[in-house]
Amino acid sequence: LLDVLFLNVLCLYLSSAAPPNFIIFFADDLGFADLGCYGHPSSVTPNLDKLARGGLRFTDFYVTVGGCSPSRAALLTGRYETRSGIYPGVLYPGSIGGLPLNETTIAAMLKPLGYATAAIGKWHLGLGAKGTYLPTNHGFDHFLGIPYSHDQGPCANLTCFPPDVKCFGECDLGAVTVPLMKNDKIIQQPANFLELEKAYSDFATNFILTSTQKQQPFFLYYPSHHTHYPQFAGMRAAGRTSRGPFGDALLEFDYTIGDIMATLDKTKVLNNTLVLFSSDNGPELLRRSRGGTAGLLKCGKATTYEGGVREPAIAYWPGRIQPGVTHELASTLDILPTIAKLSGATLPPVALDGLDMTDVLLRHGRSKRESMMFWSLNPSKKHGLFALRLGKYKAYFYTEGTSTVPDPDCVAPLQFHDPPLLIDLESDPSEHYPLSLKERPDLQHVLEEIMKVKASLEASMEFGESQIAKGQDPSLQPCCNPECSPKPSCCQCP
Ligand SMILES: *[C@@H]1O[C@H](CO)[C@@H](O)[C@H](O)[C@H]1NC(C)=O
Ligand SMILES: *[C@@H]1O[C@H](CO)[C@@H](O)[C@H](O)[C@H]1NC(C)=O
Ligand SMILES: *[C@@H]1O[C@H](CO)[C@@H](O)[C@H](O)[C@H]1NC(C)=O
């Protein structure tokens, strides 16, 4: 009895003494089949492969939508982007709106528990007047990064690979060149792509060292620019893969992940840190061989087909998560409630769409998630859901293509389906063979069940005011030299 008592007290002491740390690595436009550990033959991802070998690798992990800003909003709030108003499409450098300040991010949720919080890399949840929507106003103590996509400014004259290989394509002409920001200050414009990754790696290392020295639990959110167009890489990774620019960019991200894991080891917090990896959406197929691949999944970014929304995902926590593969349904939505459960944080008092997945992580158990709904990048009450997965079945009420690729479905215009297209994702993960209710009358009850879930999910959805429909004001574009002219080209500070 005394032993049990002692163990209980010890456990209490340990759990109260050392709340877990959390790290989220979030790749950009990286597809289901882009990592070595997900079968890519020429990608080089030794550190991610090691996390997959020593952790839990997901086969059925979803983001909510195939676009950068809304996918990030859902991850950080545990709520569909429709609720927070991050639609339609994505935010721009001069966007007036952003992730509303009354939304609670994972960082803001952890702050009351004394966590140190930092975001590095690509934010893309708004900037607004005087940096209203920056990470430092959303629960992050520190931010080092670019506030939006690194192609949202002219890039043709920037260097993407050493010694002086220019970036491929022009990116967005007519905007300011992309700034590197520290908290709410611009420290470089344009950002130097060749040194960016090293700056992030150093920053992350210092953040972990400082937090662990102070015995402060920490949350590090690292949404990388890799492997979004235009792909870039510094000295360490450039030219090191046979896959070309995409492979080099991915390797550079992988190296930083390795640096951060080494720092966790050195500071002896490896066994007290949950590390999660995923990607914001599927591959941008219009980049052709310079873009990513969803492998056997259909289509890519900006669609609700599997290639747009089903992503690689890894959870790593030595001693707590047993190595393996899970086929359970899970989503970026589930990260906030899971972190709440593991840290003891109070859930934000809002309509959450995420579900606690600690059983899946810590016990290889069943997922609480039975369904996943997919809105279009341009969602509306009028159209309602585009697609819904329930168990192994996915029903499409609408389909819409986007990019120039060989599969005609990926470029097809908006199409309404009644009865819905019904796919069995287990026997047909590539979605080639919609099931026929004529041949399979037994599926009628599946469809009825899906329609019931659809009606209840749609009824539970309250659309937040669209932040993106608020439009853009060119004077809000970040400029290191605010009084200069002519804009935007004068906004350059070496
Ligand atoms: C945030 O404020 C807006 C505007 O008042 C409101 O519509 C929305 O429901 C609020 N969101 C949350 C999460 O409280
Ligand atoms: C890039 O450099 C060329 C040559 O100096 C110049 O003509 C062009 O305007 C520049 N493009 C941008 C977007 O700055
Ligand atoms: C975690 O690692 C530290 C240092 O490596 C060690 O002292 C501690 O006993 C480990 N804790 C658990 C629960 O394994």
Side-chain angles (χ1 to χ4, degrees), residues 408-466:
D409 286 346
C410 306
V411 294
L414 181 68
Q415 220 184 320
F416 176 57
H417 301 280
D418 185 19
L421 289 182
L422 191 61
I423 306 281
D424 176 340
L425 288 175
E426 286 177 1
S427 60
D428 179 22
S430 300
E431 307 182 88
H432 287 318
Y433 313 109
L435 299 162
S436 153
L437 289 177
K438 274 203 200 91
E439 288 164 23
R440 294 273 314 273
D442 61 301
L443 289 174
Q444 192 56 45
H445 82 276
V446 171
L447 200 54
E448 279 161 19
E449 197 54 37
I450 285 175
M451 296 316 280
K452 245 194 269 170
V453 174
K454 176 181 194 277
S456 105
L457 289 178
E458 280 174 340
S460 79
M461 180 51 61
E462 270 188 56
F463 278 67
E465 182 191 5
S466 167

Side-chain angles (χ1 to χ4, degrees), residues 336-400:
L336 179 142
T338 302
I339 287 181
K341 174 77 178 225
L342 292 167
S343 62
T346 307
L347 286 173
V350 294
L352 278 180
D353 298 299
L355 298 164
D356 166 30
M357 60 171 168
T358 49
D359 275 345
V360 179
L361 298 186
L362 304 184
R363 289 172 276 283
H364 286 203
R366 297 306 305 269
S367 175
K368 294 186 168 68
R369 176 168 292 287
E370 291 172 344
S371 65
M372 187 72 205
M373 54 176 163
F374 301 99
W375 300 87
S376 123
L377 262 176
N378 182 7
S380 67
K381 280 228 150 109
K382 176 172 160 258
H383 284 113
L385 285 182
F386 264 39
L388 170 72
R389 177 169 175 177
L390 181 66
K392 67 173 181 171
Y393 293 103
K394 188 170 177 189
Y396 287 91
F397 314 106
Y398 290 91
T399 52
E400 189 172 26

Side-chain angles (χ1 to χ4, degrees), residues 91-368:
L91 291 156
Y92 291 88
S95 280
I96 293 164
L99 184 67
L101 296 180
N102 62 357
E103 290 289 335
T104 307
T105 66
I106 296 170
M109 178 183 81
L110 290 172
K111 274 316 290 177
L113 301 181
Y115 274 72
T117 55
I120 53 177
K122 166 175 166 175
W123 177 240
H124 215 178
L125 286 172
L127 189 61
K130 302 202 173 84
T132 308
Y133 301 108
L134 285 171
T136 42
N137 292 324
H138 267 302
F140 291 96
D141 302 330
H142 311 281
F143 171 55
L144 179 69
I146 296 174
Y148 37 81
S149 275
H150 70 283
D151 68 332
Q152 291 183 312
C155 69
N157 290 344
L158 303 184
T159 304
C160 268
F161 292 96
D164 59 359
V165 177
K166 296 294 176 208
C167 296
F168 183 81
E170 297 190 307
C171 307
D172 291 359
L173 300 171
V176 296
T177 51
V178 292
L180 176 64
M181 300 188 78
K182 187 161 190 190
N183 298 331
D184 59 353
K185 302 275 181 305
I186 299 171
I187 56 172
Q188 195 180 50
Q189 194 170 21
N192 178 344
F193 292 145
L194 300 187
E195 287 170 10
L196 204 48
E197 194 67 27
K198 181 168 187 323
Y200 292 153
S201 180
D202 290 349
F203 183 92
T205 300
N206 281 332
F207 172 69
I208 295 168
L209 287 175
T210 309
S211 306
T212 50
Q213 264 159 21
K214 290 199 247 173
Q215 298 196 322
Q216 194 177 5
F218 61 84
F219 169 48
L220 174 64
Y221 170 54
Y222 181 15
S224 176
H225 309 290
H226 298 315
T227 47
H228 196 288
Y229 155 86
Q231 285 77 20
F232 65 86
M235 288 304 289
R236 188 149 69 139
R240 297 293 161 92
T241 75
S242 60
R243 196 178 165 184
F246 188 100
D248 292 358
L250 176 55
L251 177 61
E252 181 167 66
F253 185 29
D254 186 87
Y255 276 149
T256 300
I257 292 171
D259 293 345
I260 291 173
M261 296 313 295
T263 304
L264 295 179
D265 192 19
K266 204 171 86 182
T267 51
K268 302 203 187 317
V269 294
L270 207 46
N271 61 7
N272 196 32
T273 304
L274 171 60
V275 177
L276 298 167
F277 171 89
S278 195
S279 169
D280 67 340
N281 50 247
E284 189 173 33
L285 298 178
L286 66 92
R287 305 295 168 197
R288 306 170 69 113
S289 65
R290 286 183 158 263
T293 175
L296 55 49
L297 302 184
K298 192 179 181 79
C299 303
K301 180 176 182 175
T303 74
T304 58
Y305 289 114
E306 290 287 287
V309 290
R310 188 156 155 187
E311 289 301 321
I314 302 167
Y316 180 85
W317 190 356
R320 297 296 302 276
I321 294 179
Q322 295 310 308
V325 175
T326 180
H327 305 293
E328 293 296 311
L329 202 52
S331 164
T332 42
L333 289 168
D334 304 333
I335 292 176
L336 179 142
T338 302
I339 287 181
K341 174 77 178 225
L342 292 167
S343 62
T346 307
L347 286 173
V350 294
L352 278 180
D353 298 299
L355 298 164
D356 166 30
M357 60 171 168
T358 49
D359 275 345
V360 179
L361 298 186
L362 304 184
R363 289 172 276 283
H364 286 203
R366 297 306 305 269
S367 175
K368 294 186 168 68

